Amino acid sequence: MTGTTTPYGAGAAPAPGSGHAASPRLIGLVLALVAALYVVAPAMNTAVAPLVHTDLGVTARGNAVAQITGACLAIGVLVAIGRAGDLKGRRTVLTASLGTLCLASLVLAASPHPAVYVLGRIAVAAALAAVFVSCLAFMTTVSLPGRIRRIMGGWLAAMSAGFVLAVNLAPHAAALTGWRPTAALMAAAAGAALLLVRRLLPEAGPLAPRELPDRVRTLCQAGCAVALAAALQLAPLWGWQDLRVGALLTAAVLAGAAARFRALRHTERSRARAVPGAVRTGALVAGLVLGFTQVVLTMAVPALVTDVGLPARAAAFVLSAFGAGGAAACLLLRHRPVPPLAGASLGLPLAALGLALLHALVDHASHALAGGFAVVTLVGFGTMLAAAPQMARYLAAVPRHHLGVHAALLPAAILVGTAAAQALPYTSALGPLPLPGEARELLWVGTIVVAAAALALGRPVVALVVAVTSVLQYVMVDADTSRPMSVVVALCVGAVAGAVAWSRREQSERLNRTRETAAALQRAVLHPIPDRLGGLRLAGLYRPATAGTAIGGDFLEALDTPYGTRVLIGDVRGKGLQAVQTVTDLLGCFRSRAHETEDLGEVAACLDRQVRRAAAARGDEELFATALLLQHSGRDLQAVNCGHLAPLEVGPGRARELPVPAVLPLGFGLLDAAGTVRPHRVALAPGSTLLTHTDGLSEARNSTGEFYPLAQRLSAAGPGTPDDLVRHLDDDVRDWTHHLADDIAVIALGPH
């Protein structure tokens, strides 16, 4: 393969034979279509199961063997194929996985014996896992970390739409064509996907292959997941007292303990490079809840819908609402940032309320279809509203060099959640559909699990309200199962939902007032940079590292004075209120002295004395600030650099650092000791823009720890006004990093 991509989607090279570079949008679309096979296959297996039993004699036990073995094997395949993509390249591994899926599906379609069919099902499950993790890692590799939220929103929306189509169309396809053509259709789809990938997608990776930080820990984690999934699925078949189930559970516990022990032995340096524990845990819980909820609904909804006399296709229609709600939540995430805490606090309570409300609405054929579809849509919306932000945050924080292995956590967590649901009564792989009463019990269990996840990931108060409401509903329905009581229960749920919504509105109003106060404070301390001042066009940007604080330790100002246009940008050592106080003092001093002091070097000396006075008043001997002062008068541009980063000259296709001599930062007293500091004359080429910035911009890191390549990204920005340049930097640095670790201040200026 000759085509490669630079990390983080910095530019996709053409795929061999394509003749042109594939756009990121096209890459995402192709990967979404290919990954949709992962959600289509289970619906097809369910639809053809009766036909296979009649035609080939595959028993329920054979299907159970295929399902359990395939799920356990898939977890190991996820880790192995993810790592192979890290080492060999994403496109190479994806094409091999699709080829394997195509061959396995053909074997499945031509199965002459039940044993061959079972082996084919297992091979297809493993190949589908390989395809899915390859697509997930590919999509994340060619995307900047800051864009993953938007891309994941669209990607998961496509997965949810595939679920809707598969649940509704698979039974009809199986009934019209039979099970062999249906399996052959999967082979044809895999073959078409293989051609698309080879034609349109570039190679992505390997990105400087590196050894895993701890191979033993990774193997222990994978072994824990495989053993746990096997034990949970086999326990209903063999019994919880069976020694084999006990051995699997013991193996899972020992593997998990070994992984934890290895993690505790990591050096501090290794921990700093790893994904934060809270981020990993959030993604793990989100995947578990998603897999668990899908199985509960898949088992409970058909039983409840058919109990009121509706046909099987109506049950499929109601069940597909889970995907419709999930697609709506993912599209919301794509177009509007939803913080993980907010998504879990709102989404999981909505899902729990929907599961509880499903009892009351699916009671009469007159409204079972519409009511069931609406409530299952609510469950899907809430579940994905909680899960998608957690998954996007996790993928954005994963180091790129080990992305494949880490990306395997998400589908593996979903598989383990599926296995946990299948360990419940009435959901065993060998058992028939639950009875209506048993289906309602499943929904109560699902409500409790989702409420517990809300307690772990969201706001505890909201989760506890939902849990208490669900318990009250259970008591009321159990005490009186008459139809009017269902209406009372529905009204109670609606009232509690309204109370929760009102509480969240109050919180939103308080948050808006806090934001307005912070914005007013920012306007009072950090004046907006005007578009035009003197003979200059200017543009400014200020981004605090901590959302909602409005002001940090960076400062910037531009003034029109009798001596020309004067610009100040700098950074105070430290954070918190003391840094803000120092910023306020420095800006006040500059605004006063800039209008009264002719010499720019003397203005810098005044700022130096101001910092020393503040340090003496607070007893902080280490207080200092870096600063860059500029003065423009006529065609003359002068600069005084007090320990700050040198400015950049940005022109068509180039960005270079200007050699501006620097003295020590403000607060060291050098300006007074050395006498007058002479400003340095700066010469700008025609058509160029001068960019000044703080270190929060150039030291913004991606999840691998690489600094933002400022000069390189500026060179690729193309010509434009100072405002165009600043807006480009604002968008680009947020795409580069999944979170800001330091404040960012930027001023760009150029002649009229």
Side-chain angles (χ1 to χ4, degrees):
M1 305 294 177
T2 57
T4 58
T5 58
T6 54
Y8 306 102
S18 65
H20 63 279
S23 68
R25 190 181 298 274
L26 178 60
I27 292 175
L29 177 61
V30 171
L31 291 174
L33 291 175
V34 174
L37 298 174
Y38 188 72
V39 298
V40 171
M44 295 179 65
N45 290 334
T46 302
V48 303
L51 302 176
V52 173
H53 173 70
T54 303
D55 184 36
L56 202 59
V58 177
T59 63
R61 183 171 294 276
N63 278 320
V65 170
Q67 178 178 320
I68 295 171
T69 307
C72 296
L73 180 62
I75 294 176
V77 168
L78 288 171
V79 178
I81 294 300
R83 183 56 180 161
D86 294 336
L87 298 175
K88 303 298 183 182
R90 309 291 178 208
R91 181 174 177 269
T92 300
V93 174
L94 179 55
T95 53
S97 301
L98 285 170
T100 304
L101 176 60
C102 184
L103 291 176
S105 299
L106 289 175
V107 170
L108 196 65
S111 299
H113 189 271
V116 178
Y117 179 83
V118 170
L119 291 175
R121 279 273 304 275
I122 295 171
V124 167
L128 283 169
V131 170
F132 186 80
V133 75
S134 298
C135 289
L136 183 62
F138 200 133
M139 182 272 298
T140 311
T141 299
V142 298
S143 306
L144 291 166
R147 295 179 186 168
I148 288 179
R149 172 190 59 81
R150 300 191 294 274
I151 294 173
M152 275 294 290
W155 206 70
L156 291 174
M159 298 297 98
S160 300
F163 177 81
V164 173
L165 294 175
V167 169
N168 285 283
L169 298 181
H172 299 288
L176 290 174
T177 64
W179 68 271
R180 292 186 188 275
T182 302
L185 184 63
M186 174 62 74
L194 178 60
L195 293 177
L196 274 176
V197 169
R198 290 185 60 84
R199 175 66 181 172
L200 298 177
L201 299 193
E203 181 58 271
L207 302 175
R210 296 182 183 179
E211 291 292 326
L212 287 172
D214 192 338
R215 275 192 222 172
V216 176
R217 180 188 176 193
T218 301
L219 291 175
C220 288
Q221 290 173 334
C224 176
V226 171
L228 183 60
L232 290 172
Q233 294 178 96
L234 290 171
L237 305 180
W238 292 346
W240 288 98
Q241 294 80 18
D242 192 284
L243 291 178
R244 293 168 294 181
V245 174
L248 287 171
L249 289 174
T250 302
V253 171
L254 292 177
R260 180 60 180 166
F261 176 74
R262 299 283 301 190
L264 293 176
R265 290 186 57 188
H266 271 193
T267 63
E268 292 298 326
R269 183 177 180 183
S270 298
R271 291 180 194 172
R273 293 180 178 179
V275 180
V279 175
R280 180 188 295 271
T281 301
L284 177 63
V285 174
L288 291 172
V289 171
L290 179 58
F292 190 94
T293 306
Q294 282 181 323
V295 171
V296 167
L297 287 175
T298 301
M299 300 301 292
V301 167
L304 293 175
V305 173
T306 55
D307 182 50
V308 295
L310 294 177
R313 61 177 179 273
F317 175 72
V318 173
L319 184 60
S320 68
F322 184 82
C330 294
L331 290 176
L332 173 65
L333 176 68
R334 176 176 174 80
H335 295 290
R336 182 175 181 178
V338 177
L341 178 60
S345 299
L346 179 60
L348 290 177
L350 286 177
L353 287 172
L355 289 171
L357 194 59
L358 198 55
H359 301 78
L361 291 182
V362 187
D363 272 342
H364 300 285
S366 59
H367 61 261
L369 189 61
F373 187 88
V375 176
V376 175
T377 300
L378 180 66
V379 176
F381 180 85
T383 303
M384 291 306 298
L385 185 64
Q390 299 284 352
M391 295 178 177
R393 179 179 65 166
Y394 173 76
L395 289 175
V398 169
R400 306 294 100 174
H401 302 294
H402 307 129
L403 178 59
V405 175
H406 287 83
L409 172 72
L410 300 180
I414 295 174
L415 288 174
V416 173
T418 300
Q422 290 172 342
L424 298 174
Y426 328 124
T427 60
S428 170
L430 270 179
L433 281 178
L435 298 174
E438 297 169 343
R440 287 182 168 84
E441 293 294 333
L442 285 177
L443 291 178
W444 290 125
V445 174
T447 302
I448 294 171
V449 170
V450 173
L455 188 62
L457 297 181
R459 298 187 182 278
V461 174
V462 178
L464 288 175
V465 169
V466 174
V468 170
T469 305
S470 301
V471 171
L472 289 176
Q473 287 187 80
Y474 179 79
V475 172
M476 293 171 65
V477 173
D478 188 61
D480 186 354
T481 57
S482 62
R483 298 307 184 199
M485 181 56 66
S486 297
V487 179
V488 174
V489 171
L491 293 175
C492 290
V493 172
V496 172
V500 171
W502 177 83
S503 174
R504 289 195 58 81
R505 188 192 67 177
E506 291 293 307
Q507 293 178 359
S508 298
E509 290 179 353
R510 287 195 295 270
L511 180 61
N512 289 334
R513 288 194 294 268
T514 302
R515 287 175 174 171
E516 290 174 359
T517 302
L521 179 62
Q522 184 183 47
R523 288 192 297 270
V525 176
L526 299 174
H527 297 171
I529 301 298
D531 296 335
R532 296 176 183 269
L533 206 61
L536 295 176
R537 299 180 65 179
L538 300 99
L541 169 68
Y542 185 82
R543 293 284 179 215
T546 304
T549 56
I551 300 176
D554 290 4
F555 54 92
L556 68 170
E557 182 61 286
L559 301 172
D560 188 13
T561 73
Y563 313 106
T565 301
R566 286 180 165 174
V567 175
L568 170 68
I569 188 170
D571 186 3
V572 173
R573 186 198 70 84
K575 298 180 180 179
L577 293 177
Q578 286 195 350
V580 174
Q581 184 177 354
T582 305
V583 167
T584 305
D585 293 342
L586 279 171
L587 289 176
C589 179
F590 177 73
R591 288 163 185 159
S592 172
R593 295 298 182 180
H595 288 276
E596 300 174 357
T597 306
E598 180 178 1
D599 183 67
L600 188 63
E602 179 57 28
V603 175
C606 292
L607 296 176
D608 176 73
R609 292 191 290 270
Q610 177 62 46
V611 174
R612 282 187 287 148
R613 284 194 296 269
R618 299 171 199 165
D620 185 358
E621 298 179 354
E622 297 181 356
L623 179 64
F624 68 89
T626 65
L628 178 67
L629 294 87
L630 300 174
Q631 176 176 296
H632 178 263
S633 179
R635 296 185 177 180
D636 186 40
L637 182 62
Q638 298 180 342
V640 172
N641 187 352
C642 302
H644 197 71
L645 299 170
L648 295 170
E649 181 187 29
V650 183
R654 72 178 191 281
R656 67 182 185 93
E657 189 176 283
L658 293 178
V660 178
V663 296
L664 286 179
L666 304 176
F668 283 90
L670 178 67
L671 297 177
D672 283 349
T676 302
V677 176
R678 302 186 63 179
H680 178 79
R681 190 177 302 276
V682 177
L684 279 180
S688 297
T689 299
L690 186 71
L691 180 82
T692 65
H693 63 93
T694 57
D695 58 5
L697 178 63
S698 55
E699 295 181 2
R701 296 175 182 262
N702 57 30
S703 52
T704 305
E706 298 168 323
F707 289 119
Y708 179 66
L710 178 58
Q712 175 186 342
R713 308 297 282 192
L714 286 173
S715 299
T721 65
D723 185 62
D724 294 334
L725 186 63
V726 168
R727 281 192 285 108
H728 167 78
L729 283 176
D730 188 20
D731 293 337
D732 198 54
V733 74
R734 285 187 290 179
D735 287 342
W736 176 263
T737 181
H738 58 289
H739 75 280
L740 291 177
D742 197 3
D743 305 331
I744 291 178
V746 176
I747 297 180
L749 54 91
H752 276 314

